[in-house]
Amino acid sequence: MDIHNDENIKMYFYENRLKTFEGWPFDEDCECNAENMAKAGFIHTPSKTSPDVAMCFFCLKELEGWQPEDDPVEEHKSHSSSCTFITLKKKVEELTVKEFFNLQKEQCKFVVNKSCNEAVTKFEEAAKLRKAAIIRTAMGEE
C-alpha cells in the first residue's frame, strides 16, 4: 500500500470514505451505519464471504462481524487503541501542513508494521512446508 498516493490521501476525508460503503449491509437505523463507519475512519472492504468487512484506512485494522448496535468509534478504539486518526482532536481540514505530515509519518508505521507481519507470516508458512518436506525425505517417503 502506497500511503502517499492520491487515493490514500483522499481517504482522509469523510466523503471519500463514505463512498466506499456501497452495499454495506447495515442501514441508517443501525449504530454501525455507513455514515458512522466512515466518521470512525473506516472504509468498506468486503469479500465474497464477508460483506461487512471494514478497515481503518489509517491504521489498517480490519473488523468484521458487526452487530447493529456496535458503535464504530468505540469498536475502533477498543481494537486499535494506538490509531492516531481515531484520536484526532481536529478535523482533517483544520490540520496544519506540519500536523498532516506528522500524521502521515504515524501512518507509515502502521503500513510498515503490517507489511513486516505479513512477510513474517509468509516466511513461517513456507518454513513449515519446507520442514515437512525435509522430514518426508529423511523418512524415505519421497
Side-chain angles (χ1 to χ4, degrees):
M1 170 181 245
D2 179 7
I3 65 166
H4 302 294
N5 71 26
D6 288 342
E7 286 305 309
N8 187 67
I9 299 295
K10 287 178 184 177
M11 290 304 137
Y12 274 92
F13 300 97
Y14 164 79
E15 296 80 14
N16 295 321
R17 293 190 305 274
L18 183 60
K19 289 176 190 175
T20 70
F21 281 91
E22 186 175 311
W24 181 244
F26 297 94
D27 61 21
E28 59 275 347
D29 294 335
C30 299
E31 191 66 30
C32 63
N33 62 39
E35 291 80 12
N36 289 341
M37 295 294 289
K39 286 176 187 171
F42 289 109
I43 57 175
H44 188 203
T45 56
S47 68
K48 289 181 182 181
T49 57
S50 298
D52 71 337
V53 178
M55 178 182 74
C56 173
F57 85 96
F58 188 86
C59 71
L60 310 177
K61 181 67 176 179
E62 287 185 318
L63 298 175
E64 63 181 311
W66 291 90
Q67 300 297 316
E69 66 279 1
D70 288 341
D71 179 339
V73 171
E74 292 307 313
E75 290 295 323
H76 193 167
K77 286 179 181 178
S78 72
H79 291 279
S80 186
S81 59
S82 61
C83 181
T84 313
F85 184 80
I86 196 66
T87 59
L88 277 179
K89 304 291 186 226
K90 293 181 174 182
K91 291 182 179 181
V92 170
E93 297 84 355
E94 298 169 348
L95 295 173
T96 66
V97 172
K98 182 178 180 177
E99 289 170 328
F100 181 77
F101 280 120
N102 285 335
L103 199 56
Q104 280 289 87
K105 183 175 74 175
E106 290 300 311
Q107 188 183 25
C108 283
K109 293 176 187 176
F110 286 108
V111 171
V112 168
N113 190 30
K114 183 174 183 173
S115 178
C116 289
N117 287 339
E118 288 172 350
V120 166
T121 299
K122 191 174 180 180
F123 176 81
E124 288 172 343
E125 289 169 358
K128 284 180 188 176
L129 292 174
R130 186 69 183 135
K131 179 181 177 181
I134 290 169
I135 290 170
R136 283 193 307 275
T137 301
M139 301 294 283
E141 296 176 10
E142 285 191 21

